[in-house]
Amino acid sequence: AVTLINDRVGLLALALFAATAEVGIYSIAIAATQALLLMTEALTLSAFHRIGGDARDASAALTAHAMRHCVLLAAIGSIVLVPLTVFAIPWTVGDAYGDVPLLIALLVPTTIGSAAFLPLYAFFEVQIATASVRLKIAGAALGSNIALSVSLAPVWGMWGVAVGSSIAYVIAAAVAFAAFRRASGIRLRGLRPGRGELRDYVVLVRSYAGRQGSTP
């Protein structure tokens, strides 16, 4: 519930302190970023059984691997989504929503944080067997998000809300990493995507191409 509320704090702040039009524009930007998270949710679901069933060290290593992929997918997806919406938004919903691409760019930290937290939540809920860590992470994001959105929405409208959301997720990321490091011993550099993740996609494409070639 805390996580779901966190995604809507900005809309509530805009509804209270900004013009109605800004609520509509910001909601389109949020919907676009949420669509990106479908890929990372699928990745987390595919890894969930092993994250929960493996020994703690193996589970932590897989969680870090899944996080690196989630961060990479969210970052690349956001980079692709910004120019895509520059052309798609006027054609689909009209020129009045021309600010959506810039809002998506400002929300990149929020998108990456949301993606990275998914495998982390699986690790904490199963390996640590408690929801308190997830509540602490989501609560840090929610508390910061409320304070920043309520403070910035009356001044900068949807731009302030987008910046506030991204700052809140950076704060939550610090809380999440500290908790994960205590539980797993994995350092920050172990969560940065690198060539290994890119090689994974090359292997995936080759495997898919091989299956397609062998299909009668």
Side-chain angles (χ1 to χ4, degrees):
V2 173
T3 303
L4 290 174
I5 293 171
N6 200 19
D7 293 333
R8 290 154 180 79
V9 165
L11 292 172
L12 294 173
L14 289 174
L16 291 173
F17 300 111
T20 303
E22 294 195 25
V23 179
I25 295 171
Y26 191 75
S27 67
I28 296 293
I30 290 293
T33 59
Q34 291 293 314
L36 287 179
L37 296 179
L38 293 175
M39 296 184 295
T40 56
E41 287 176 358
L43 177 63
T44 302
L45 285 174
S46 67
F48 183 84
H49 178 72
R50 285 184 55 199
I51 289 175
D54 285 355
R56 175 72 66 85
D57 290 345
S59 175
L62 178 59
T63 300
H65 194 188
M67 284 181 64
R68 292 194 296 270
H69 275 291
C70 286
V71 168
L72 185 63
L73 287 170
I76 293 176
S78 296
I79 292 171
V80 172
L81 188 61
V82 171
L84 181 64
T85 52
V86 168
F87 296 101
I89 289 296
W91 181 67
T92 54
V93 293
D95 294 333
Y97 292 86
D99 291 327
V100 168
L102 183 54
L103 285 171
I104 293 172
L106 290 175
L107 288 167
V108 167
T110 300
T111 306
I112 293 176
S114 298
F117 292 162
L118 291 171
L120 264 187
Y121 288 157
F123 176 82
F124 288 131
E125 289 176 356
V126 182
Q127 288 290 338
I128 310 301
T130 176
S132 62
V133 180
R134 176 172 184 169
L135 184 61
K136 185 184 297 184
I137 297 167
L142 180 61
S144 304
N145 203 1
I146 291 174
L148 290 166
S149 293
V150 171
S151 300
L152 297 176
V155 182
W156 294 332
M158 58 189 178
W159 309 110
V161 167
V163 171
S165 176
S166 289
I167 294 173
Y169 270 84
V170 171
I171 294 172
V175 174
F177 169 70
F180 184 60
R181 182 176 180 180
R182 285 194 299 269
S184 67
I186 293 177
R187 297 180 178 274
L188 181 60
R189 63 174 177 268
L191 304 180
R192 293 197 300 263
R195 294 180 180 177
E197 283 65 48
L198 295 176
R199 284 196 297 268
D200 287 342
Y201 290 108
V202 173
V203 172
L204 180 65
V205 170
R206 287 177 177 172
S207 174
Y208 179 75
R211 292 195 302 272
Q212 291 297 106
S214 63
T215 301

